[in-house]
Amino acid sequence: KGIYNLVFKVRDAEGAATALRAKGLDLIGDVGTRFAIEPSQAHGRLIWLTDKTPEGYPPVGSRMTEFAPSAG
């Protein structure tokens, strides 16, 4: 139980993949879109990395200035 799937946005996916491989980590997925550290090497967690920004996401470096209204 708990967190098992994380996605990190990186500036340079290829560079991140090269650095992780240099540390001996195996990667799964496609560096061109989204890749993860082999879960057996990440305490069973899926730790994804990508340099793509999904549509509708705020630009890199932006800050949340308003909280969504509470339901209720």
Side-chain angles (χ1 to χ4, degrees), residues 17 31 44-45 51 64:
V31 173
R45 305 303 190 249
D51 59 7
M64 179 191 267

Side-chain angles (χ1 to χ4, degrees), residues 1-65:
K1 299 208 179 218
I3 296 173
Y4 62 89
N5 190 5
L6 300 167
V7 180
F8 290 96
K9 172 89 185 305
V10 295
R11 287 190 178 104
D12 175 15
E14 187 66 47
T18 299
L20 292 169
R21 286 183 183 123
K23 294 187 180 289
L25 295 171
D26 296 320
L27 305 178
I28 59 174
D30 178 11
V31 173
T33 55
R34 181 177 74 157
F35 67 95
I37 299 169
E38 170 60 45
S40 65
Q41 297 174 321
H43 303 284
R45 305 303 190 249
L46 269 172
I47 301 175
W48 295 96
L49 296 101
T50 184
D51 59 7
K52 308 293 183 225
T53 301
E55 186 177 334
Y57 273 56
V60 174
S62 63
R63 301 280 188 243
M64 179 191 267
T65 59

